[in-house]
Structures are given as C-alpha cells and as structure tokens.
Amino acid sequence: MVLTLMSVPCVGADQYKIGVVDPNRVVELSPQYEAAGKALQVEVEERERNLRQQQEQITILQRKLERDSALMSESEMQRLQNDIRSRTRKLKYAQDEFQEDVALRQNELRTKLAKQVREVVVELAKEQGIDLVITEGLVYYSPRMDISDLVIERLKRDSSNK
C-alpha cells in the first residue's frame, strides 16, 4: 500500500523523497554507542569486584566452618553460621540490586542514544530534502534509499566535536 502511494505524485507536488534508516546498524557503528559501553563497563567493574570480594569472604568463612567446626564451641559455630547466612543474604540482595542498576543504566544510555540518532535523522532529512524517513519493520528497501551511513557519519562528526 505504501509503495503505491509513494509512486503516485500528488497534485501540485513533486514525487516524495524517502530515506530508510537501519537503527541497529546506526547504533552499533556510532562512536556514542562505543563510548557509552566503555563508560558502563567502568561503572560495572568496580561493583563486580566488590561482589566478588564479598563472595570470597563468604567462601573463606564456609571453609573455616568446615575445617574448624569440630574444635569450636556450639555458640562459636552458631555465630559463624549466622554470619555466613547474613553475608549470603546481603550478597544476594547486592547482586539483585546490581543487576537492576545495570539494566536501568543500559536503558538510560539506549534512550539517550536513540534521542541523538533521532535528532541527526531529522537534521539530515531536512538538509537532504527527504520527505519521509522509515525505520524498522521493513520487508525490502533499495540500498540507495538507506541513509544509515549518513547518520553514522554525522554521529561520528558530532562525537568528535565534543
């Protein structure tokens, strides 16, 4: 249906100029995506290291309990078991919170990048005199209609200007 409408000129108007953007390719090849990924990785590494240290401390305490339980009094053994349980609960909570925070941060970065891409697409469409830009859910389009490379180049230019 859309193809039929595109090929029929309107009264008093030239044919429409249409562009296609592959959002996945634009995002994956943009320097902003790479920079966001690196920034997220830096944020994540410190918390992962902290979680690993907590797990290692629990493992050390568990080994101590296994190794020394025969030599411990009942109250010492109970105190160590409670400490292990408490640390394990805190670690589980911290891991869950970490996963939620990473997902939230990824979503924030994706939203920010999508906004940048949308702004560049609108800017390019206006500069190139493109009447309609289509994205996602396409069955076929001619490569000559694809403006993804132009969007990527503009994102690279914008990235280097900052």
Side-chain angles (χ1 to χ4, degrees):
M1 176 104 155
V2 174
L3 291 175
T4 306
L5 293 174
M6 291 187 303
S7 64
V8 177
C10 294
V11 176
D14 295 326
Q15 284 194 333
Y16 293 108
K17 190 171 180 184
I18 299 169
V20 176
V21 174
D22 180 348
N24 294 325
R25 187 163 59 99
V26 167
V27 167
E28 289 171 5
L29 296 177
S30 72
Q32 290 86 343
Y33 179 73
E34 185 177 336
K38 287 178 182 177
L40 183 61
Q41 185 62 33
V42 168
E43 292 176 28
V44 165
E45 285 174 353
E46 179 63 30
R47 287 184 69 182
E48 284 178 335
R49 195 171 20 260
N50 187 333
L51 292 173
R52 278 193 306 274
Q53 289 172 347
Q54 289 179 38
Q55 181 60 57
E56 289 168 6
Q57 291 171 350
I58 292 169
T59 302
I60 290 169
L61 291 174
Q62 288 171 330
R63 286 185 189 141
K64 179 180 179 178
L65 180 64
E66 291 170 6
R67 184 185 65 229
D68 299 340
S69 63
L71 304 173
M72 293 179 171
S73 69
E74 188 66 32
S75 64
E76 287 176 318
M77 199 165 61
Q78 190 66 39
R79 202 173 18 252
L80 187 53
Q81 287 172 337
N82 288 341
D83 188 25
I84 292 170
R85 255 193 309 277
S86 174
R87 287 175 185 245
T88 302
R89 242 183 272 118
K90 286 179 184 176
L91 176 61
K92 171 84 170 95
Y93 176 77
Q95 287 170 331
D96 291 346
E97 184 179 45
F98 171 68
Q99 289 175 346
E100 288 175 15
D101 288 349
V102 168
L104 180 64
R105 189 72 175 112
Q106 286 174 328
N107 195 25
E108 288 171 356
L109 293 171
R110 219 177 288 120
T111 301
K112 181 180 174 186
L113 184 54
K115 183 179 180 217
Q116 286 179 303
V117 168
R118 194 170 24 260
E119 289 170 356
V120 168
V121 168
V122 169
E123 184 180 300
L124 276 169
K126 289 178 181 178
E127 288 174 11
Q128 302 281 328
I130 298 172
D131 299 299
L132 175 67
V133 178
I134 303 171
T135 184
E136 297 188 58
L138 299 172
V139 176
Y140 171 80
Y141 61 89
S142 167
R144 63 190 175 97
M145 296 180 81
D146 189 353
I147 63 169
S148 299
D149 289 333
L150 294 172
V151 174
I152 293 166
E153 289 304 313
R154 182 68 54 94
L155 285 167
K156 286 179 181 177
R157 187 189 76 199
D158 290 353
S159 175
S160 64
N161 288 339
K162 291 184 179 180

